[in-house]
Amino acid sequence: MPAVFRASFATVLNRKLAARSVGKISRRKSKGQLPKPNQHSPSGAFSVYESLQPTRLALLGFRKDTDTIGQTLRISPDGLRTWVEDFLQLGRLKLVEDRDSGEVARVLHNLSRKFRSDNDNDSEKLVNEMVETVRKAYVAGLIPSAAVFSMHLFAYYKQSGQFNQGIEFWNWLSKANDAPLAPVFVGAAIEMLAVYGAGIQYCEDIYQRTLDQQIDISSQYQLSPGAMLPDRSKPVKIRGASLGLLQGILTARLLYGKWQSAYLALDTSFRLLPTQMVPRILDLFIYERPMFEVLPVFYMYCRSGNVVPGQTFMTLLKSMKALADQINTYTIRIKIIEAIFSVLEAYVGSGGVLSTRHLNMIARTLVSALPQDHTIRSSNPVTQKIEDVTRTIVDVLTSIIHYFSLSNAPPNRVTFDGIISQALVQGYPKLAKVALQDMKELDLLPEKPAALDLLRGANILRDSAMLKTTWLCLRNLASTKQELVLDARSWTIMATAAKACGDDEFFQEQVQDLAPRLPMGAKTAADLAKQSLLHKPFSAGKGSEGPSVDHIRAFQYFCEKVRLSFERMQRVQPGKFRDLTNHPSDEKTIFDWPDIAEESWQRRLYEESTSERNQRSSSPSQDEQALDPEHRAPAVSDTGIRLDGLRYSNWKTINKLLVQTEVSEKRREESANATMKETRVSPQPESTMANERPNQGRSIVTAQQFQEYQQDAETERARRTTEQEWRKRILRLRDPDYELLVHTQPLLAPLEASSNGLVDPILCSG
């Protein structure tokens, strides 16, 4: 543990004791500042920090970033124990305040999360021990109570899977005193209980009790589905509530598949604070709902001017790329990849920060959009078209890499390795050769898998120069990693490529030069040549036909759209927001759900449902609304959209989500019922399923599920409806009583902890 922390605690302790001895300190009146040293106090008691005039525990390093603290603790792990003991000593002497307890919990929570991501088990165990030490002191009243303290502990218990301790802490808080439970930590508690499997109704009861006890009537009304705002063009602040409480119940509903009530909670969030959404809400949908539902939420999040974290964006890219890789129909696959670039544009336009990891994924995704070509070029009737395709993708890749480099996300070895490997998979060895030349200019060496792919590319192209360059790269890589022996597989691929290139002389030279490094069983050039004959020349694919002219034309059109997209992105400064006043952020993609309602129908229903003048008698007056004069947000989002227009767009998106989810859930239930009939399995009653683990893996979309989604979308597109029928459908889906909740547990009965369940690491993230 940091010596500076140790010295800081001792200094704080001496300083406060000295000040108290002369009657110069009052914790409640000091407003966070320590008094100046008294001339009668012991000399030097706290003179070291006299010039700093620190505020309470800022001296302890709590305001330092987690990485710095984590690195310091690794140098001296036992220092963490000393650090916590010193804090508890201050607590026993009543020299700390409530927010100091919250800071301690925050640091321990962040350290635990960091050590877990670094797979540092020893440090994580020590943090776990200290968390329990601090919790017991908190329960015993040795340190001040704080809602933020409880919030961080519940988040820690959820992420670490320490549910026994978390439930014990929750049961104690529930009956510790008669004071209402603070919304700031109840939301975190609901998340933990939902992941544990406490039952959806238990979570709903907690949420409702907190609303009744802790939230004023006006705010309760605004948190209810379908509440009307006094002025849709202005920001609103809700008294006594937080998005954390809404986030908690939203998590529980998503985990238990309560899609309708979950979307109503999301609608409430975007209605009240559209420009202040927390990233965790987007994470929840990415992990818990199918991609068809995630993308509208993502666009809504970006359109409102909320910055998406880089890791969240990366998770979405991976999911979309995984789906594209499953699709065999080229025209559909390229449209999915086109949607990936639309998502990238929305991310950049809402202030998202690009990284080299994003570049690596985007570059490989672009190459995977190439129409596969595994033909012999001399007999291919579309040879010239293939050459044009190669030139086109090289130009587009160059532009993309240049754009990312200007955004402080330059390419690295992984970028080019991905391009090389994917180019060989698609059947474009010349693209791999261009990537190799770029790597040489940047003094980068390909990793072994990519180098072997390049040898195969030299085989296909019969390119002796490419063979020699790649082999020398492979030798340098082996020397860098201090590998004394190049394995037989590398020699075999090299020998096969040398024969294809007609360069036996180079092969013999390498055998003689590297004789001490030849693999076992291949001591002579004859042995290697004989072994290479057992392997046919490399072919990147199975088919003998080249890509069709239609596929080539589709790819050229796709590349043109990518170019235009990057031209628009170049007008946005890194980390800034794109002005969406006259341009939609959610372009039409293959994932779009058809909107069969006319614009005039939607506008009429929106005005009737959200305008306060239609319910003056039931809604609170404007004077009762809690507008925040001190932190008044602008009347437009950072993306340039007025709040009233933004709320209307989000309202329409929620309607589409409710409709499409109802259709897909109905199909899923029918499929499950058919499966149960075939296997003669009877469905269990709801009461026996109350505490089952929440839904897991619903974000994974297969090719079959995507095909079913497209079929449902086509059915919806062909649907004929009247305005009255459409209104009834939307109002029914927006009715909070439509999806009935069945009580399965006594209201807030103490939970019994169980340790026999495994925890999904995805659910425990965030």
Side-chain angles (χ1 to χ4, degrees), residues 292 589-596 660 663-664 667 705-719:
F292 330 117
T589 69
I590 195 172
F591 294 98
D592 281 343
W593 183 263
D595 195 347
I596 62 175
Q660 79 174 60
V663 172
S664 61
R667 175 190 280 272
Q705 290 173 323
F706 180 70
Q707 183 180 7
E708 292 173 351
Y709 171 79
Q710 285 191 303
Q711 292 172 357
D712 292 337
E714 285 302 317
T715 302
E716 180 72 15
R717 190 172 285 108
R719 182 186 181 117

Side-chain angles (χ1 to χ4, degrees), residues 56-127:
R56 291 193 322 279
L57 298 185
L59 278 173
L60 306 179
F62 288 167
R63 272 62 176 181
K64 288 189 177 182
D65 63 279
T66 305
D67 287 345
T68 302
I69 296 177
Q71 292 170 3
T72 308
L73 293 181
R74 281 196 178 95
I75 298 173
S76 177
D78 290 340
L80 177 60
R81 184 174 285 105
T82 304
W83 182 58
V84 171
E85 289 174 354
D86 284 345
F87 168 72
L88 295 180
Q89 177 64 17
L90 288 174
R92 294 186 189 97
L93 296 171
K94 309 300 181 184
L95 297 178
V96 293
E97 298 183 4
D98 51 2
R99 66 174 181 173
D100 301 330
S101 300
E103 286 296 318
V104 171
R106 181 186 67 82
V107 171
L108 293 175
H109 176 203
N110 289 341
L111 286 176
S112 173
R113 185 160 46 189
K114 176 174 176 55
F115 292 149
R116 193 179 308 114
S117 65
D118 294 343
N119 294 318
D120 188 346
N121 296 329
D122 292 337
S123 296
E124 186 181 355
K125 287 180 181 178
L126 181 60
V127 172

Side-chain angles (χ1 to χ4, degrees), residues 647-678:
R647 286 177 169 130
Y648 175 56
S649 297
N650 293 342
W651 179 85
K652 291 195 297 183
T653 300
I654 293 293
N655 289 344
K656 290 174 65 175
L657 282 167
L658 287 168
V659 170
Q660 79 174 60
T661 306
E662 181 186 40
V663 172
S664 61
E665 288 292 321
K666 184 178 180 180
R667 175 190 280 272
R668 185 182 66 83
E669 291 174 6
E670 290 174 350
S671 176
N673 292 336
T675 302
M676 284 192 291
K677 286 181 180 179
E678 291 176 1

Side-chain angles (χ1 to χ4, degrees), residues 229 232 234 271-272 643-651:
L229 297 177
R232 294 171 302 191
K234 294 181 180 179
R271 181 180 69 250
L272 295 175
L643 288 189
D644 49 356
L646 186 61
R647 286 177 169 130
Y648 175 56
S649 297
N650 293 342
W651 179 85

Side-chain angles (χ1 to χ4, degrees), residues 434-454:
V434 172
L436 175 62
Q437 294 169 348
D438 289 342
M439 293 188 79
K440 287 179 60 179
E441 293 180 5
L442 295 173
D443 292 327
L444 297 174
L445 288 176
E447 278 291 350
K448 186 174 181 179
L452 296 180
D453 283 336
L454 286 167

Side-chain angles (χ1 to χ4, degrees), residues 372-428:
Q372 289 197 348
D373 174 47
H374 303 310
T375 59
I376 300 174
R377 300 307 166 98
S378 60
S379 61
N380 187 356
V382 290
T383 300
Q384 186 57 47
K385 291 289 185 182
I386 293 297
E387 296 296 327
D388 293 342
V389 166
T390 303
R391 283 193 291 270
T392 297
I393 195 168
V394 168
D395 291 343
V396 175
L397 278 171
T398 301
S399 300
I400 291 175
I401 291 174
H402 178 68
Y403 173 77
F404 272 83
S405 298
L406 292 178
S407 302
N408 295 320
N412 59 13
R413 186 197 68 246
V414 179
T415 308
F416 294 102
D417 282 356
I419 293 173
I420 290 168
S421 299
Q422 193 66 50
L424 267 295
V425 170
Q426 302 302 122
Y428 290 79

Side-chain angles (χ1 to χ4, degrees), residues 1 5 51 110 162 174 201 252 261 290 341 368 370 409 452 461 470 560 575 579 589 609 667 695 740:
M1 170 79 169
F5 290 173
S51 62
N110 289 341
Q162 305 288 330
S174 301
Q201 190 55 50
S261 54
F341 282 88
S368 71
L370 283 164
L452 296 180
L461 296 175
T470 304
E560 183 61 28
D579 189 352
T589 69
S609 304
R667 175 190 280 272
N695 294 316
L740 297 178

Side-chain angles (χ1 to χ4, degrees), residues 489-545:
R489 180 165 172 259
S490 302
W491 279 100
T492 300
I493 296 174
M494 185 269 195
T496 307
K499 285 182 177 297
C501 296
D503 203 340
D504 291 334
E505 182 180 351
F506 176 72
F507 175 71
Q508 296 291 345
E509 290 176 357
Q510 294 303 304
V511 170
Q512 294 175 7
D513 188 27
L514 297 174
R517 299 170 65 180
L518 292 179
M520 296 295 294
K523 296 298 184 183
T524 66
D527 292 334
L528 288 169
K530 183 178 180 181
Q531 187 179 6
S532 70
L533 292 176
L534 300 176
H535 299 266
K536 296 180 180 180
F538 174 75
S539 175
K542 300 178 181 179
S544 59
E545 296 182 359

